[in-house]
Amino acid sequence: MNKLNKLISLLCGIALAVFLLTSSTIFALNFKTLYKIDTTRLNIPLEANISKEATIKNYTILIDYLNPLNNDDLIFEDFFMSHEGREHFVDVKNIFNIITYVSLFTFILSLILIAHLSRLRNFSFLKYSYFMLILIPLTLAIPFIINFDKSFVTFHEIFFSNDYWLFDPIKDPIINILPQEFFFHESMLILSLLVVCSIILIFLHKKLNKNKI
């Protein structure tokens, strides 16, 4: 394998890993079943003093708003919002827009590079991908499990240029139906998906290399 194909293989491995990371994040965001489970497990309606049906309905409004194809304004049925709260959700939507665009770009790039490398019977890109997908969960899971509170704060400080994410429940009661424990479960779902993806890639790499012999 010449240097160019080694570089293409590495690029393909990175692109595939980024696609799986971003697509896992998108899946977790839209996996509303997890929130429905947590409404009961975390007693969210009771804590927010609102019915379970209204809790899920307002959460669904938020998730639908974050969809890149949705250009409607964010209007909750049962909650008012402050200017800071509204601006924070705009920032969140912008981040998820970027994640979606990156996911789409890396998906297309991966397909093109995989098609090229498959013709050469070069499957080393799978090794690069699963290595990254093993490394990412291990790197993130440790601080998440040890101190999720600090990790949660650090995440917001990195990705947001303001402190609007520090919701005041009086001004933005929507935060009462978005407990931090739910975001921990979301994070664990993403990490679990990455572990599953890495296992699948390991299996494919071994199987395809065995068939080359």
Side-chain angles (χ1 to χ4, degrees):
M1 183 168 56
N2 59 42
K3 290 183 178 180
L4 178 59
N5 283 328
K6 283 184 178 180
L7 182 61
I8 293 174
S9 182
L10 176 60
L11 178 60
C12 182
I14 294 172
L16 182 58
V18 172
F19 165 68
L20 292 173
L21 173 60
T22 52
S23 59
S24 295
T25 302
I26 293 169
F27 174 85
L29 172 71
N30 290 281
F31 187 62
K32 298 172 184 175
T33 300
L34 177 60
Y35 185 78
K36 291 177 181 179
I37 294 172
D38 269 2
T39 55
T40 299
R41 183 166 49 186
L42 301 177
N43 294 318
I44 294 175
L46 181 63
E47 294 293 330
N49 193 27
I50 190 174
S51 70
K52 182 176 181 179
E53 292 74 17
T55 301
I56 295 174
K57 183 182 294 184
N58 284 276
Y59 174 78
T60 301
I61 289 172
L62 174 59
I63 298 305
D64 291 344
Y65 166 76
L66 296 177
N67 188 316
L69 299 178
N70 185 357
N71 295 317
D72 296 335
D73 293 332
L74 177 59
I75 301 175
F76 294 112
E77 289 192 4
D78 300 279
F79 300 111
F80 52 83
M81 276 189 298
S82 68
H83 168 74
E84 292 79 8
R86 188 176 300 278
E87 286 300 310
H88 175 67
F89 287 125
V90 170
D91 290 340
V92 173
K93 182 177 177 67
N94 289 335
I95 289 175
F96 276 105
N97 284 347
I98 293 172
I99 290 174
T100 301
Y101 299 145
V102 170
S103 184
L104 180 60
F105 172 76
T106 52
F107 172 70
I108 295 172
L109 180 60
S110 296
L111 284 182
I112 295 172
L113 297 180
I114 288 173
H116 169 73
L117 293 169
S118 295
R119 286 195 295 268
L120 302 176
R121 304 295 293 169
N122 177 1
F123 305 112
S124 59
F125 67 90
L126 293 169
K127 178 176 63 177
Y128 298 130
S129 283
Y130 74 65
F131 178 77
M132 289 183 65
L133 292 181
I134 291 173
L135 186 63
I136 292 171
L138 284 177
T139 303
L140 295 179
I142 294 174
F144 279 6
I145 294 173
I146 293 176
N147 192 337
F148 183 73
D149 288 348
K150 186 175 180 179
S151 300
F152 188 75
V153 171
T154 301
F155 168 84
H156 283 81
E157 289 176 343
I158 292 173
F159 286 97
F160 297 100
S161 60
N162 52 55
D163 61 357
Y164 293 167
W165 59 274
L166 294 169
F167 282 93
D168 182 343
I170 297 176
K171 295 181 179 179
D172 290 289
I174 182 65
I175 194 60
N176 292 320
I177 70 167
L178 298 171
Q180 189 168 302
E181 292 90 342
F182 167 67
F183 292 108
F184 175 75
H185 296 156
E186 283 266 275
S187 300
M188 290 301 103
L189 173 59
I190 295 172
L191 295 179
S192 298
L193 289 171
L194 295 180
V195 170
V196 171
C197 288
S198 65
I199 292 173
I200 293 173
L201 292 178
I202 290 172
F203 172 79
L204 285 175
H205 184 248
K206 289 184 177 179
K207 184 176 179 63
L208 291 172
N209 277 335
K210 184 178 181 180
N211 290 339
K212 286 172 60 177
I213 300 175

